[in-house]
Amino acid sequence: MAGARGFDIDLSVGEQIEDEVLRTLLGRSHLEVKYQPDARVALFIETSYRGRQSGLSTTEAEWWCLVYAQGRQMQLVRTDILEAICRDRGKRSRGGDDNASEGWVVRISDLALPFP
């Protein structure tokens, strides 16, 4: 995600967006916010970084808020549903800075489909 920007800036922006989403939407619910500003068709859902579990594999959040399209769009998904969507509809991939992460590529349109 970082591209030309540094991790410190990405973290700061991510924390600001997370605080805003929490205040606006959920109050006290535990929420994980992921910001992928350049995503338009698919999102990368991290499960490990440099060989260590992270992201979806370690989250304690009840919900994930996936913010994309320069912050103009977002999807709010229960964590258990996101895990199932990744398994059933996602594609395993490497990504992130220096391709150091492993995870799932999920089409944004799949997040909006009904899931049992």
Side-chain angles (χ1 to χ4, degrees):
M1 172 179 81
R5 298 184 315 165
F7 173 77
D8 306 44
I9 295 169
D10 287 346
L11 179 61
S12 175
V13 169
E15 288 173 342
Q16 289 171 3
I17 290 170
E18 184 172 329
D19 288 345
E20 182 178 320
V21 169
L22 282 170
R23 281 192 312 272
T24 304
L25 296 177
L26 297 176
R28 298 179 186 262
S29 288
H30 192 171
L31 175 73
E32 180 124 3
V33 176
K34 297 300 176 186
Y35 181 51
Q36 296 181 35
D38 298 326
R40 297 285 188 279
V41 175
L43 297 167
F44 181 73
I45 310 298
E46 182 179 291
T47 58
S48 68
Y49 178 72
R50 298 197 187 282
R52 300 185 82 179
Q53 286 191 332
S54 63
L56 192 58
S57 296
T58 60
T59 189
E60 296 180 8
E62 301 165 53
W63 292 88
W64 274 46
C65 181
L66 304 162
V67 182
Y68 54 96
Q70 300 299 320
R72 293 187 304 270
Q73 296 182 14
M74 70 177 171
Q75 293 281 346
L76 189 61
V77 184
R78 264 192 5 233
T79 301
D80 60 328
I81 298 296
L82 180 59
E83 290 169 337
I85 289 170
C86 287
R87 280 192 314 271
D88 293 352
R89 300 179 183 156
K91 178 181 176 188
R92 294 293 291 167
S93 182
R94 296 190 71 81
D97 298 336
D98 300 322
N99 279 333
S101 298
E102 292 183 26
W104 298 96
V105 174
V106 177
R107 291 169 37 109
I108 292 169
S109 60
D110 283 342
L111 296 171
L113 294 174
F115 201 86

